[in-house]
Structure formats: structure tokens, C-alpha cells
Amino acid sequence: MSSAYHFRNERSNVHIPDAYLSPATEAVATLVMVPMWVVASRKTACELTSKQAPLLSIGAAFCFAIQMFNIPAIGGTTAHALGAVLLAILVGPWAAMLGMTLTLAIQALLFGDGGILSLGANCFDMALVAPFAGYAVYSLIAGKSSNLTPRRLFAAGLGAYAGAVCASLSAGVLLGVQPSIAHDAIGHALYCPFGLHVTVPAMVLSHLLVAGPAEAIITVATLGYLWKTFPEFSRESATVRVGTKMRLAGKLAWVLALTPIGLWATGTAFGEWELSELKQMVGYEPAGIANAHSVILPLLPDYSFAGLSGKPWEILGYLVSALIGCCVIALFTRRILGRGTSSSFDLLKPGIPSSAVPNWMTLPNPPVATSALQRTRWFESTLLKMRTAIEKTFAAEEVARKPGFLQSIHPMAKSVGFASAIVATGLAQSEQFLAFLIASVLVAAAGSQVPLRSFIERVVGSVLFFGLIVAAPISMKSVTSGPVAFSILGLDISTSGLHCASMILLRLAAGISLAMLWNLTTRWHEMLRSLKTLGVPQFFLATAALTYRYLFVFIETLAEMVEARTSRQVGACSKVQARQFAGNGGAILFAKSLAFTDEMHLAMQSRSVDVSSKKPKFTAWKPRDFGAALTGILCLVVIALLGHIHAF
Amino acid sequence: MLFEATNLEYRYTDGTPGLQGMSFAIQAGDRVAILGANGSGKSTLLRVLDGLIFPSSGLLTFRDKPVTELSLKASAFNQEFRQSVGFVFQNADAQLFNATVQEEVGFGPRQLGLSEAEVHGRVSDVLGFLGIQHLAERPPFRLSGGEKRKVAIASVLSMNPEVLIFDEPFLGLDPRSQSWLVRTLEQLQAAGKTTIVATHTLDTVPKIADKAFVLSESHELVCVDAVSAVLADKQLLMAANLIEAPTMAVVH
């Protein structure tokens, strides 16, 4: 498999792709987010000074970059941080919300990652829930303690942990309600087929044990380093008190106690609600949901308490997971504080070189201890793969510059056309229509000089990754009832199950290929301009433009850091080293880029670049632009008609 | 033979050439200067020599063993190669990825599996040798340009590599620091190190090298000769766009 899949796979643990949520859920989530974005823009525009505005862009770009640091977690898995709570602590939760929204928007629009229709839902989880929940926990525990105290750092770690877990809970709930709200007449799920019993434990437990601690480690390491080296970030004077005991047991216990209570509450609410109350509310129970649980629960690796049924065991499971997560954070905070605080060097006056070459430099190196050689190489290979993937993704801008068919279409027309077609994909319930749509996308891609092979490879890779985990169980007879089509490995595959699975895979393929073709054939600044005409506020777009610029800086810096490390890395690096590199790397990346911002901001000013004064200049639409827009709208109309026919 | 290259070709992912058909040999103890205009492929060649990127075709050997992506995956060769070849990047900023100068300089020796006492000894020796002991506790990216260059050099020297590769080491240094660097290079060469320096600062070349590789703007190796001979060949230097061609007015 090429590195592109790897790249995508690693960073999609909370990102919900298109075709997993019903269009109604996506619409509701977006509607909830719109007033939030308005408030956040106003608040941020008031609170941030003009010099801090680049900080927001940097923050967004940083969140983007930090999601590329893989941290080895338990059981050979890796996890990455979101950076949402870190950003909230640095610039405040409202600004963090905008920063995360920018990150997610760029991922969706530019990198085809995470889904375009589901952007609202993803923002709800990661731009609203994560920073606010995390920041609340952080301020609660930190109180009025000064920066760099164990208490404040621990509060940041716990806040990050809570933010990640809450975001995963919210994503789990959004996914889990799908079978209840979106299914066909005979009860077959149309979108995510798993109920809350499956999605919530799967998302929450994996975040309690893996992604949450990763988030906390990155956050604590970055903040610890930033507060130490950039005292201007500190609100109070920074004092390093290393030996102080953490007297937080009381508050910690309080927060821990909240975890199971919250989950117990959701447990009763959703557990009963889903199958009995919902049945009364909706009038019938979707078939297959109950069956799905019995089949899928044992398949989920993280659901370690599947064998022990009953509420007390479940709560204990969450409690133990949370406890393990908190211990990791506490240990890590101690390590961060204990490191490099005492100097064993005699600090000499500057400029007194010892003129001679040290003696050992004239001798050959002693042989390396064998223990240093027996290490895994996964870290290096992950990072190098990531780099190749980034290079490939940035090659997209090259494609957008080619004189192809779609490149010549008016960006507004393209937005209308593609957006309609993607909505149509979400609503479609006909395999033929989706297959036809995919075929048309391929024809259009060929006509737009998009390298077809890598395009298909990327689509297929994403579909397999996102789709199989859902499509494979849904095709089984025990989940989706119906006549048996064939048996494989002793599992009966039903014809209606096969139909459901192929619908989900096709919808996924159509959605992903449409989104990918859209961002491959549209240049970023054109995308921004068409968003402006659609009424997206200028403040947001100006920050987005800056973010895009910083993204290149960050990725370049990141690539250079990896290369520099490779050059001096003897053998492979251990998991501990990898964790340290991820923690420190995040902080240093941020600090380096920060040192660079002022200069860049000034350079932009000196060339009188003011993004806000630019009015979008668009040429008039040509007939083929109308054609392109109409094609997308036509897709929608066809879907509406098909649905109409279907209904009768 | 330390390095031997046969027909090295390198192409970037978008297909544009970086190196074209280069063949050369570098022996232990050589003092090599790589000359070429901006964009002639100097940095690419150095990255290939350090095994950071790999030629699209052709063969590079280090001590008669091929340097490829696969061979560097083997622990024994990786270890031998990485501790024998040190690379000082053009952008000193890019090279520094640790939290403090002492961690930065200690990173390499720790990789070699030395004891903490030995690591500490090496770090303080190298910082002393370069005269930057006072920076030990500072974060590397908050230093001045010259200090960053010194820390970058220190971080490579502490690994005690046999071959030292420098990419444009004089770039952005004031005249005093430039002559300091020339003296340091001479000391290292006297201690038996092989040095490969890419530069377009021609006036320092005779002091730091006796063999020159000239790269053309078409990314080819057009000349391998003694430094004195290359610097005397104005036609060659003009063809490689290293010096300006005389204007028409002068010809008149």
C-alpha cells in the first residue's frame, strides 16, 4: 500500500468521513456550529490584537502539523494528538475553536481528509467540545497557580485528556444514533450501522487508554517547554518548583468520580432510550441493531470488558481506563519537570575556545553496544512515509495549475456543482446512480489531467480503510437478515446485507472521489475567494490564507527536523526516544515557527499585503460554467426523483 | 576507497533532474570542495552522500558497500555509516531539534551508546573546542545565526565522525566567524578527518580544500581537479556561472 493511505489512516481516528452520517445529522451539526463560529469570530476579533492574529494562524497550522506526530501507545498501536486543548490554553477557547475549525476545513477542502459534508459534525466534536471541555477542566484544576508549577502542567495534561475523551464521546454519540434515525423501511441502516452500544465504548475506551494520554503528553511537553523558553506566554511570573508535592488528590478524585457518573448517565440515557424509548418515539425498532451488537462487540479490540456484561463492570472498565490515563499523565508531568532543571556544566564566560582538538576526536569511535542495535524501526519509517505523503499531497497544487477541463471551470460554478453532487451522494439510495457518478468522476478526472492511477489508488485505499470495518460485519446474515447469498469462513452473507454493504462502500467511494477531485482541480486561493462570495467572514478567510502559508513553513520545518534526526540517528530509535521526540518536537516546532512569525508578519506588512482589502475578482460565467454547476444540481434532482419513485 | 559513485542520477518526485550522470571517488583524508551556482545540485549531492535521499539510478558505495535505502536498514551498516559520516546542514536552524544546546550536542553520543559520563565529557570537550560553553543551557533556536552554526557543528563533531560534510558553512557568517571556521576546518583536517564542503565562497576554497568538484547548472559534474587548477580556469568557472562573464563593454 502506498504511503498516502498510511498518511490518511493515521490521522482519522476522530475525523468522521462523509457517508457515515446522515445528511440530516450533518445539517444539524452545521446549524449548531454557525452561531458558534459567529460568536467566536466576534470574540476573537475583539480579544486578539493585530499582532496576535498570526498566532491564531500559527495555532491552526500547528494543530495540523501536530496531528502528524505519532506516539507509540500500548499494544503496538500509535496515536496522535488533536492539539485543541493546547491551543485553548495558549489563545483561549474561542480562538482555539476558530483555529481548530481552520485546521479541519483545510484538511477537508485541501487534503480531502475527513469529509466535506461532515465538516460541521467534525467541528462540533473537535472545535467545540474538545477545547471547551478541556479548557474547563484545565481552569478548574489549575486555579490560580502560576505557570510551570506541577499543578498547572498537570491541569493542562488532564484538560487535554478530558478534551480528547469528550470529543470521542461526542463523535461516538453522533455515529451511534445513525441506525436509529436513518434506516430504510425494513430497518436496514443506511449510514453508520452501529448503535450507541458499540460506537460509544469503541470511541471512548480507545481515547481513555490510547489517544487521550497521547494528547496529554503532547500538551504537557509543549506547554512545559514553551513556558520555560518563552516567558512572554506566562501570565504570571514563571517559577520552577520541582520538588513540590502534587496536592491534588482531592480534585483529581473529584474529576475521576465525574467520569463514570457522566458515562453512567449516558449509559442509562442512551442504553434504554435507544431500544425501548426510541421504539415508542419512532414507532418501530430498526431491525438489525440488536443483532449488530452481538456480532460486533467481540470484534472490537478495545472493548476489553465485552465478556463481562452489566453496568457495574462497564463502569469499572471506564474507571480503570481513566485511572491508567491519569497515572500516565502524572508520571509524564513529573518527568517533564524533572528534566534539565539543574545544570552540571560550569558556565564559562563566552568566547574562550580551547584551541586544541579533543583527543578522542583523533581516535576511532568505540563499537556501539549491541543493545542499541536491537530496536524497532517503525518510527523512522512512519516519519519518512509521512513526508512522502505530504510531498504527494502538495503535488495537488501542481495538478490544479494544469490546463485541464475542470481547472478551466469558474470556481464558483465548481463549488456549486461539486457541493450539490456530494449532497446527492449522501442522499442517494441507488447503487446504479452511485456507480454512474463514480464513473463520471473518473472521466472528468481524466479530462482534467489528474494522474488517474494514484487518484484511484487513493480513493480505493480510503474506501477500504473506512469502509471495510463497517461493510464487512453489515453484510453478515446475523446482522442484516435476509436470504443467504453465500458463506465464507463459516459466516453467512445475506443478499440484503451485501446490498447494504455495497451501498455504504459505493457512497463512500463516490463522496471521497468527488471531494478529492474538487480539491485537486481547484487552487487554494480560488477556493478562498469562492468561499468569500458565499458569505464566509473576511476575518476567517484572512486567517485561513495565513494558515495556508504557515502550513508550508511547518511542514518544511518538520521535514527538516526529521532529516536532521535521521542524519544523526545511529541504528533505530526506541519507543521512549520516539515519545520524547514527539513531545519535544511539538514544542520546538511551535517555538521555531513562532520565532519566524514576527518576521514574516513584518515582511508581509512591508509589502503592504492586506488580505482584507482584496475584493474577490471573478470573471463572468461562461456557458460551460453553467453546465458544470447544472450537472451537480442535476444529480440532486435525479436523486430526489429516484427517492420519490422509491417512496411509491 | 571511502566513497565511490558511478553514474549517479537523482530525480525529484515531480521528475525534474537534481543530479545527472555523476561518477567520482573520494578517499580517506581527502579535502574536497564542491563548487557550483545556486540550484546546481550541491545540496542534493551532499544529501545523497549522507544517505538521506537515494539516487534514482547509479550506485554509491561507502567503503565498497552500497549505500541504498535497503542497505541502510541493516543495523550493522546503518550504525557504521551514521557514525562515520556527519552532516552539517545549510540551514543550521533546521538541524537543531533538541530543547537545549547540551541535549543537542549530546544526542549523537547517546546514540552511540556511550555512558552518561562519557557523553558529558564529549559534550563539554566539543563545546570547549568551539568556544560555546556558555550556551549549554540555552534553547538552540533562540541563538544568533553564528552561534546556531557553531551548535550545529558541535552536534555533529560530538559523534566523532570520520567524514564531515558541510553544506554552505560560510553562509551568513561575519568575516571574523568565517576565518574562525576556516581555522577549525584546518584543525579537523589535521586531526585526520575527511572533509567535503559545498560552497560558492571561492576565496576560502584554497584554504579548506585541495580537490574541487565543479557542478554545472545542468546538474552534471563537469570537472574534478586540483583546487588551484580549477580556480585558474576562468572559462570553466564562467561556464558553471560561478563568476560573471566579462561584459560586452569590456570587449569593445
Side-chain angles (χ1 to χ4, degrees), chain A residues 24-101:
Chain A
T25 317
E26 282 158 350
V28 169
T30 312
L31 280 180
V32 171
M33 284 312 289
V34 167
M36 290 293 166
W37 283 325
V38 172
V39 175
S41 298
R42 289 216 179 123
K43 283 214 173 248
T44 313
C46 294
E47 283 171 10
L48 288 185
T49 62
S50 68
K51 213 189 153 206
Q52 277 174 311
L55 191 67
L56 183 60
S57 304
I58 277 219
F62 175 68
C63 286
F64 191 97
I66 211 165
Q67 291 180 16
M68 294 179 173
F69 278 107
N70 275 327
I71 303 179
I74 49 165
T77 55
T78 59
H80 68 77
L82 290 173
V85 182
L86 176 59
L87 204 57
I89 295 171
L90 285 176
V91 293
W94 286 106
M97 188 172 112
L98 283 187
M100 279 306 288
T101 304

Side-chain angles (χ1 to χ4, degrees), chain A residues 90-434:
Chain A
L90 285 176
V91 293
W94 286 106
M97 188 172 112
L98 283 187
M100 279 306 288
T101 304
L102 273 175
T103 308
L104 293 168
I106 288 177
Q107 280 171 346
L109 292 174
L110 197 65
F111 290 76
D113 203 4
I116 290 176
L117 287 187
S118 55
L119 183 61
N122 281 327
C123 285
F124 181 80
D125 298 336
M126 289 178 272
L128 180 69
V129 174
F132 277 90
Y135 192 76
V137 171
Y138 162 76
S139 2
L140 182 78
I141 296 177
K144 287 193 169 129
S145 60
S146 53
N147 289 335
L148 264 181
T149 53
R151 179 170 166 181
R152 190 164 279 271
L153 273 182
F154 184 69
L158 216 57
Y161 186 63
V165 172
C166 290
S168 72
L169 176 66
S170 148
V173 169
L174 281 181
L175 286 168
V177 295
Q178 294 310 310
S180 318
I181 59 172
H183 48 80
D184 61 17
I186 43 168
H188 294 149
L190 294 173
Y191 302 94
C192 173
F194 306 129
L196 291 162
H197 274 94
V198 178
T199 54
V200 170
M203 294 297 282
V204 173
L205 276 179
S206 66
H207 278 75
L208 277 173
L209 287 172
V210 183
E215 183 86 43
I217 286 175
I218 287 265
T219 306
V220 172
T222 306
L223 281 176
Y225 189 68
L226 278 180
W227 281 337
K228 220 183 281 181
T229 42
F230 288 82
E232 57 263 37
F233 271 116
S234 320
R235 271 173 297 170
E236 295 101 3
S237 58
T239 45
V240 189
R241 287 183 289 155
V242 180
T244 341
K245 274 185 192 169
M246 294 184 205
R247 270 178 242 132
L248 284 165
K251 285 203 169 170
L252 175 60
W254 195 72
V255 172
L256 273 183
L258 275 181
T259 324
I261 288 174
L263 285 161
W264 184 66
T266 57
T268 41
F270 297 125
E272 318 306 326
W273 181 63
E274 184 189 326
L275 288 173
S276 55
E277 286 176 41
L278 195 85
K279 199 159 139 192
Q280 291 160 12
M281 272 156 54
V282 186
Y284 57 94
E285 176 191 330
I289 292 181
N291 293 337
H293 297 151
S294 61
V295 173
I296 292 142
L297 279 188
L299 296 178
L300 289 168
D302 291 313
Y303 198 72
S304 42
F305 300 93
L308 302 165
S309 51
K311 213 115 258 155
W313 285 110
E314 247 179 78
I315 292 176
L316 190 70
Y318 288 119
L319 194 66
V320 169
S321 307
L323 200 68
I324 295 172
C326 289
C327 289
V328 171
I329 299 168
L331 283 174
F332 193 78
T333 313
R334 273 189 83 91
R335 266 189 81 151
I336 290 274
L337 281 167
R339 207 175 46 204
T341 40
S342 67
S343 167
S344 52
F345 280 88
D346 301 324
L347 298 184
L348 301 181
K349 287 270 179 287
I352 320 167
S354 56
S355 52
V357 176
N359 194 36
W360 51 264
M361 234 185 253
T362 60
L363 304 168
N365 277 323
V368 178
T370 41
S371 66
L373 298 176
Q374 288 156 356
R375 292 164 172 169
T376 51
R377 299 197 57 86
W378 67 269
F379 175 65
E380 242 65 40
S381 60
T382 315
L383 284 177
L384 284 174
K385 271 182 190 164
M386 193 179 73
R387 236 187 93 193
T388 342
I390 295 165
E391 275 169 16
K392 271 191 190 164
T393 321
F394 279 104
E397 190 74 9
E398 305 261 316
V399 176
R401 249 181 265 145
K402 286 185 187 172
F405 166 67
L406 279 170
Q407 287 90 332
S408 69
I409 299 286
H410 197 285
M412 279 291 290
K414 242 187 316 193
S415 304
V416 173
F418 271 111
S420 318
I422 291 173
V423 173
T425 316
L427 294 167
Q429 286 173 39
S430 142
E431 281 162 326
Q432 290 85 348
F433 172 77
L434 287 173

Side-chain angles (χ1 to χ4, degrees), chain A residues 225 229-232 339-369 372-375 377 381 384 387-388 391 398 557 560-561 563-573 577 581 584-585 587-588 591-592 595, chain B residues 13-14 47 50 52-53 72-73 75-76 78-79 82-83 85-87 89 91 93-100 102-105 107-108 111-114 118 120-131 133-134 136-137 139-142 155-161 180 187-188 191 193:
Chain A
Y225 189 68
T229 42
F230 288 82
E232 57 263 37
R339 207 175 46 204
T341 40
S342 67
S343 167
S344 52
F345 280 88
D346 301 324
L347 298 184
L348 301 181
K349 287 270 179 287
I352 320 167
S354 56
S355 52
V357 176
N359 194 36
W360 51 264
M361 234 185 253
T362 60
L363 304 168
N365 277 323
V368 178
L373 298 176
Q374 288 156 356
R375 292 164 172 169
R377 299 197 57 86
S381 60
L384 284 174
R387 236 187 93 193
T388 342
E391 275 169 16
E398 305 261 316
T557 316
E560 281 170 341
M561 278 165 70
E563 194 166 57
R565 197 198 155 93
T566 315
S567 157
R568 271 189 286 152
Q569 176 82 50
V570 176
C573 85
Q577 282 178 321
F581 182 65
N584 277 340
I588 291 164
K592 271 187 170 187
Chain B
T13 30
D14 59 355
R47 276 173 161 72
D50 194 38
L52 294 172
I53 55 176
L72 275 178
K73 283 201 168 100
S75 297
N78 179 289
Q79 175 204 349
R82 291 281 173 233
Q83 69 167 298
V85 185
F87 187 28
F89 285 69
N91 178 1
D93 234 336
Q95 189 169 359
L96 309 171
F97 56 85
N98 285 289
T100 64
Q102 82 182 61
E103 271 177 47
E104 189 72 54
V105 180
F107 178 84
Q111 296 298 307
L112 297 177
L114 300 180
E118 283 172 298
H120 187 268
R122 278 200 179 188
V123 172
S124 71
D125 280 353
V126 168
L127 293 184
F129 172 53
L130 299 180
Q133 307 92 322
H134 57 290
E137 299 293 326
F141 47 85
R142 287 211 124 178
S155 68
V156 171
L157 286 185
S158 62
M159 290 182 83
N160 190 23
W180 166 85
Q187 278 178 297
L188 291 168
K193 305 289 180 198

Side-chain angles (χ1 to χ4, degrees), chain A residues 624-642:
Chain A
R624 64 172 164 200
D625 299 328
F626 284 106
L630 278 175
T631 313
I633 295 171
L634 202 65
C635 288
L636 261 181
V637 173
V638 168
I639 283 303
L641 284 176
L642 279 178

Side-chain angles (χ1 to χ4, degrees), chain B residues 3 22 82 91 188 193-194 217 219 243 245:
Chain B
F3 278 111
M22 291 192 181
R82 291 281 173 233
N91 178 1
L188 291 168
K193 305 289 180 198
T194 309
E217 285 192 311
H219 318 285
I243 56 172

